[in-house]
Amino acid sequence: MNETTTQQTDRCCDAGDSQPPCCEAQAADDQPAWVIGEINTPAGPVPHIATALTLADRLAAARVRLGIGRMSYAVPAGLYAVGSPDAASPVLVTANYKLSFDRLRERLGGMDAWVLVLDTKGINVWCAAGKGTFGTDEIVRRVSLTGLAAVVDHRTLIVPQLGAPGVAAHEVKKQSGFKVVYGPIRAVDIPAFMAAGMTATDAMRRVRFGLRDRSAVVPLELVHWTPWALAVAAAGLVAAGLTRGGFDITAGNWLGVRSAALVLAALVGGAVIAPLLLPILPAKTLSGQGMIVGIAIAAVATAMGWIPLARETVIETAALWLIVPTISAFVAMTYTGATTYTSLSGVRREMRLAVPIQIAAGAAGLVLWTVGLFLGR
Amino acid sequence: MLKYLSNVTTLHYDADKCVGCGRCAEVCPHGVFAGHQRPAAITDRDRCMECGACMRNCPAEAITVRAGVGCAVGVIYGALGIGGDCCCSADSSAGDSCCSDAESPDAQ
Ligand code: SF4
Ligand code: SF4
């Protein structure tokens, strides 16, 4: 552990080949809190990282879940040390998305290991694997840049299973000499996986999509669609107000208020209720499930008197019964991007049927609603 | 476990080429391929989400699948010709739900 010069050029703060050899200057004021020291290796000093997450780490993770400032959340690619690793310690590969990195190091408490962080442009393992940035080429490149072959004397990389769409294990072996063992899908299973001699049970190899997984995406869905729903609701409010009650958009604008409220309820139906109830809704497509929830919302609204049910309001009734399920169906359909089981071919087939229906029902609803405005009372 | 539409996957498997390495069973997140046997066997192809992991890791090139991300917003963007896939693109990182890492709180 004495020659510290040969390959350190490439190790630190990697952001490209033009980077200065190492980054003391930057490290002095820019050292992240999770770096707690340095370990000397035959390939140069390697940052020593903490395994306990701080409050700041957790707060940042919460912000990321709401979609705030994700791009600025990358970890420098390179090699890191956990515990007191030596040449025989395992090497775990991950993405340079801070949340992926945090989930991994959090589970390595008490272990001696190396963590090889790939440059995935700050994107998590699964998505980056789909795009190929978490892939064979980047692994081979990073193994060589970090001088990993001099740091460890074994030739095994533990790659998260969800990275497999981008990694050809046999190619990595051919090009770098390192054998790929796919680790478990969930970081929480890593201690058990290591204890079992790097073998995963079938359960560790399956993605799940339980209530907790489904609800984790709900805030992002809401953040994404709320501005649109608010705009539609506001437009309805103003349109109804202008037509019915002069420029007064509240008093005497009962239709506008109800319509706006129903648009927001339809959003909640598609973005919150449908994802949570997914397994028990009697439809296979997400849009079908959203539509069922939307119809239920329309039924409840009718029972509450928010959708009128009388001969003279039949146009308005029909309009709202068309609009509410359509919004819920569309928003729920977009949830396909957050699920762990929808295939592209399946989504295409779902959309071939659902999108024309949504367009027809939405347009008919809008026309009827407008007609109802002018005919009403 | 949730199951999506039947008979849509583009997964094709040629058992004659299989060398029985077991990689497909190791990498598939939905257990579509059965464990270590030769040749490997498909259990339930309707569970396939077309991630492409099995194809990428099959050393015998016995598997083909049109890999992609099953995301409606991505399909819409693609149809409108604005920016290819939804998932993990620059704008998704800014808050789009697609393919967000939140899809599995414990996944790495
Ligand atoms: S494409 Fe993915 S989900 Fe489908 S069989 Fe292959 S590994 Fe499994
Ligand atoms: S990865 Fe290919 S060769 Fe290996 S078991 Fe599966 S089908 Fe057979």
Side-chain angles (χ1 to χ4, degrees), chain A residues 64-65 67 70-71 93-94 97 99-100 103-104 107 123-127 131 136 160-162 164-170 179-182 184-188 190 205-209 212-214 216-217 220-221 224-225 278-279 284-286 330 333-334 336-351, chain B residues 1-11 23-35 46-61 65-77 79 85-108:
Chain A
V64 169
R65 290 212 178 286
R70 262 174 111 189
M71 280 318 276
V93 181
T94 190
Y97 179 49
L99 247 63
S100 306
R103 283 187 194 124
L104 175 60
R107 301 297 171 186
I123 288 172
N124 73 66
V125 173
W126 207 2
C127 293
K131 297 166 87 78
T136 308
Q161 187 190 333
L162 289 185
V167 178
H170 51 286
K179 176 181 147 208
V180 169
V181 172
Y182 286 107
I185 284 177
R186 286 162 292 273
V188 65
I190 285 174
R205 295 235 171 273
R206 303 282 177 274
V207 292
R208 299 181 202 143
F209 204 48
R212 194 166 149 244
D213 306 295
R214 296 198 304 277
V217 205
L220 271 173
E221 283 282 304
H224 186 77
W225 291 112
L278 222 105
K284 270 193 169 184
T285 61
L286 278 289
F330 175 80
M333 187 178 78
T334 66
T336 46
T339 63
T340 54
Y341 67 98
T342 54
S343 61
L344 179 57
S345 301
V347 169
R348 286 213 175 107
R349 178 183 291 182
E350 159 166 3
M351 291 179 74
Chain B
M1 189 61 207
L2 289 156
K3 209 161 146 178
Y4 199 41
L5 309 183
S6 303
N7 291 318
V8 288
T9 179
T10 52
L11 181 70
R23 276 289 187 191
C24 49
E26 185 183 359
V27 297
C28 180
H30 289 287
V32 171
F33 284 91
D46 288 340
R47 292 196 186 283
C48 173
M49 64 172 299
E50 300 182 327
C51 70
C54 52
M55 170 174 69
R56 175 85 65 176
N57 282 275
C58 175
E61 296 181 0
V65 60
R66 198 177 63 203
V69 182
C71 168
V73 176
V75 174
I76 293 172
Y77 281 176
D85 64 341
C86 70
C87 284
C88 341
S89 59
D91 64 325
S92 76
S93 306
D96 196 278
S97 65
C98 272
C99 204
S100 85
D101 67 296
E103 64 203 3
S104 192
D106 296 318
Q108 300 178 47

Side-chain angles (χ1 to χ4, degrees), chain B residues 13 17-24 33 37 40 54 57-60 62-63:
Chain B
Y13 165 55
K17 291 188 184 165
C18 174
V19 297
C21 69
R23 276 289 187 191
C24 49
F33 284 91
Q37 54 189 53
C54 52
N57 282 275
C58 175
I63 304 169

Side-chain angles (χ1 to χ4, degrees), chain A residues 30-372:
Chain A
D30 227 16
Q31 187 85 290
W34 39 266
V35 173
I36 53 174
E38 231 173 38
I39 286 188
N40 273 319
T41 76
V46 167
H48 189 210
I49 58 174
T51 54
L53 300 191
T54 62
L55 183 62
D57 292 327
R58 293 183 197 281
L59 285 179
R63 283 211 323 274
V64 169
R65 290 212 178 286
L66 291 169
I68 307 165
R70 262 174 111 189
M71 280 318 276
S72 56
Y73 220 49
V75 170
L79 191 63
Y80 294 90
V82 170
S84 314
D86 58 24
S89 301
V91 180
L92 295 112
V93 181
T94 190
N96 78 333
Y97 179 49
K98 176 83 170 7
L99 247 63
S100 306
F101 179 71
D102 280 357
R103 283 187 194 124
L104 175 60
R105 69 188 170 96
E106 182 185 24
R107 301 297 171 186
L108 300 181
M111 280 173 57
D112 301 321
W114 304 100
V115 175
L116 184 69
V117 176
L118 304 185
D119 179 7
T120 59
K121 318 285 175 222
I123 288 172
N124 73 66
V125 173
W126 207 2
C127 293
K131 297 166 87 78
T133 47
F134 188 106
T136 308
D137 293 350
E138 170 60 13
I139 291 184
V140 171
R141 191 178 110 92
R142 201 56 54 186
V143 163
S144 122
L145 285 177
T146 53
L148 185 64
V151 177
V152 293
D153 55 18
H154 63 79
R155 290 293 175 264
T156 301
L157 299 173
I158 300 168
V159 175
Q161 187 190 333
L162 289 185
V167 178
H170 51 286
E171 280 298 321
V172 172
K173 169 84 180 165
K174 207 187 288 172
Q175 294 176 34
S176 72
F178 278 82
K179 176 181 147 208
V180 169
V181 172
Y182 286 107
I185 284 177
R186 286 162 292 273
V188 65
D189 291 327
I190 285 174
F193 169 83
M194 298 305 296
M198 294 201 270
T199 51
T201 62
D202 281 355
M204 290 181 195
R205 295 235 171 273
R206 303 282 177 274
V207 292
R208 299 181 202 143
F209 204 48
L211 185 62
R212 194 166 149 244
D213 306 295
R214 296 198 304 277
S215 43
V217 205
V218 161
L220 271 173
E221 283 282 304
L222 274 179
V223 167
H224 186 77
W225 291 112
T226 298
W228 294 91
L230 283 177
V232 171
L237 201 59
V238 170
L242 289 180
T243 320
R244 285 231 170 139
F247 289 96
D248 181 0
I249 65 161
T250 49
N253 188 12
W254 184 218
L255 171 64
V257 172
R258 280 184 290 116
S259 300
L262 286 168
V263 166
L264 298 180
L267 164 72
V268 171
V272 182
I273 301 176
L276 295 186
L277 297 185
L278 222 105
I280 58 169
L281 290 169
K284 270 193 169 184
T285 61
L286 278 289
S287 45
Q289 289 158 334
M291 192 178 73
I292 290 170
V293 172
I295 289 172
I297 289 174
V300 170
T302 307
M304 287 168 54
W306 282 63
I307 297 181
L309 202 57
R311 188 169 295 136
E312 56 273 22
T313 63
V314 65
I315 292 178
E316 185 192 326
T317 308
L320 292 173
W321 269 83
L322 284 168
I323 290 171
V324 170
T326 301
I327 292 176
S328 294
F330 175 80
V331 172
M333 187 178 78
T334 66
Y335 191 74
T336 46
T339 63
T340 54
Y341 67 98
T342 54
S343 61
L344 179 57
S345 301
V347 169
R348 286 213 175 107
R349 178 183 291 182
E350 159 166 3
M351 291 179 74
R352 264 201 298 279
L353 178 69
V355 171
I357 295 177
Q358 287 165 11
I359 290 176
L366 196 59
V367 167
L368 287 177
W369 190 84
T370 313
V371 169

